Amino acid sequence: MSQTKRRSVLAIAAATLSLLSGTAWSQAAWPAKPVRIVVPFAPGGTTDILARVMAPELSRAFGQSFIVENKAGAGGNLGAEVVASAPPDGYTLLMGTVGTHGINRALYPKLPYDPFKDFVPITVVAAVPNVLELNADFARRHNINTVQDFIAYAKSQPGKLNMASSGNGTSIHLAGELFKTMTGTYMVHFPYRGSSPALLDMVGGSMDVMFDNLPSSLPHIKSGKLKALAVTSSQRSAALPDVPTVEEVGGPALKGFEASSWFGLLAPAGTSPDIVQRVYQEVVKALGSPAVKEKLVAQGAIPGGNTPAEFAKFIEAEHSKWARVVKASGAKVD
């Protein structure tokens, strides 16, 4: 081999080694700046609560700030679109929900993102039941103490009940639509930009009923400002053990009723598998810690921790399930 050719081969080898070393270094160096976790709903709701439980845990694990950023609007679609459009560099994550990744594709005729193609699932952080609740003063005035009382009142007052939700297409909205369909009742839907502003009006009395995620409503239920009639999960919640499930007390019309929520971290499509795996591992560690587990259970949440591959399959199954519910209920974005 000539000296010129040898030099050329050595130069190519050195460049290749440098490129590989640079790639490995960049992955090892992540995160070199703050990471934002986009919450597609207003502050104070369950999505926000869970993100703010996880953010400090990830900050400690990676030695870099994980900052929660609220981007509310369009039933979670606005925030999800922000993340779908973000560079896949690991510095923008989404706290996705059953709404953004299980329901909205079936509910919205023009979704600004693809829940399958535009994201890389990381893991489910937690699952929670929704809770059928009334403004406590409203319940007292009309002597509503059970689900059957509520159904009877709703049937006697069609269109006079104000039903709040955290936004069009959320599990909170769809749980109410499913309840209306199965019981033959009619309530006027008022979508908000997240649970927190909806709860303000629930507590204030301008809204009558809501099927909220349990964690965000739990303080108001415990304070007596909201009256919990039933949880929407298939089993009672440890956080409200004396509150029955909708199916348990709803009679034949509500047999099989189940409308729980879940919340999980996702990254933009194209994000390095190394980064996804590192975040997944640290989330699982955090969820296994007694302190975090205690916080979640106290909120009525069930800790998650499935693998990215398992989460991807779960999202597909959830979409199929909720697409059937949307079609059966006739729910529409209003």
Side-chain angles (χ1 to χ4, degrees), residues 11 131 133 163 238 241 271:
V131 55
E133 61 196 16
M163 184 183 79
T271 300

Side-chain angles (χ1 to χ4, degrees), residues 19-311:
L19 178 63
L20 292 174
S21 299
T23 301
W25 181 87
S26 66
Q27 290 180 351
W30 180 91
K33 61 180 182 179
V35 177
R36 63 174 178 163
I37 301 175
V38 174
V39 169
F41 298 99
T46 299
T47 319
D48 185 67
I49 290 171
L50 294 176
R52 293 181 192 278
V53 168
M54 294 309 307
E57 300 296 323
L58 293 173
S59 296
R60 280 191 287 271
F62 289 106
Q64 188 58 260
S65 296
F66 279 67
I67 301 168
V68 175
E69 185 176 305
N70 297 87
K71 293 284 187 183
N77 292 344
L78 179 61
E81 184 183 13
V82 167
V83 177
S85 304
D89 54 11
Y91 290 100
T92 303
L93 305 177
L94 175 72
M95 183 61 83
T97 70
V98 62
T100 61
H101 283 74
I103 297 172
N104 290 2
R105 194 181 191 193
L107 194 68
Y108 286 80
K110 292 183 179 180
L111 204 62
Y113 61 91
D114 188 310
F116 305 117
K117 296 180 181 178
D118 292 342
F119 296 89
V120 178
I122 299 175
T123 189
V124 168
V125 171
V128 302
N130 291 356
V131 55
L132 165 54
E133 61 196 16
L134 305 178
N135 171 275
D137 290 335
F138 175 87
R140 278 192 293 270
R141 286 198 311 272
H142 300 288
N143 197 30
I144 301 173
N145 296 300
T146 67
V147 171
Q148 289 297 334
D149 291 342
F150 177 67
I151 293 172
Y153 179 83
K155 286 186 174 181
S156 71
Q157 303 290 331
K160 292 186 178 181
L161 279 165
N162 294 333
M163 184 183 79
S165 84
S166 56
N168 283 314
T170 60
S171 69
I172 296 169
H173 169 207
L174 213 54
E177 294 294 343
L178 181 59
F179 184 91
K180 287 158 61 176
T181 298
M182 293 179 73
T183 58
T185 54
Y186 176 63
M187 298 173 273
V188 181
H189 176 221
F190 289 84
Y192 287 75
R193 291 168 66 88
S195 282
S196 186
L199 286 171
L200 285 176
D201 282 354
M202 279 289 295
V203 170
S206 58
M207 291 290 116
D208 306 317
V209 58
M210 189 172 175
F211 290 75
D212 191 31
N213 301 145
L214 181 54
S216 48
S217 279
L218 195 56
H220 302 295
I221 293 170
K222 289 186 173 181
S223 72
K225 294 176 181 177
L226 297 178
K227 182 176 182 63
L229 296 183
V231 292
T232 66
S233 48
S234 57
Q235 296 181 337
R236 294 193 182 198
S237 169
L240 292 175
D242 295 330
V243 176
T245 69
V246 171
E247 182 180 27
E248 192 179 337
V249 294
L254 289 166
K255 184 175 177 57
F257 186 96
E258 197 275 330
S260 297
S261 300
W262 54 262
F263 307 83
L265 285 172
L266 303 101
T271 300
S272 163
D274 174 69
I275 292 174
V276 170
Q277 189 65 21
R278 289 173 64 191
V279 174
Y280 159 68
Q281 290 172 346
E282 294 302 333
V283 170
V284 170
K285 286 181 186 177
L287 292 175
S289 73
V292 171
K293 192 176 295 185
E294 184 179 345
K295 287 179 184 177
L296 295 184
V297 172
Q299 295 285 347
I302 302 168
N306 54 0
T307 68
E310 289 169 342
F311 190 15

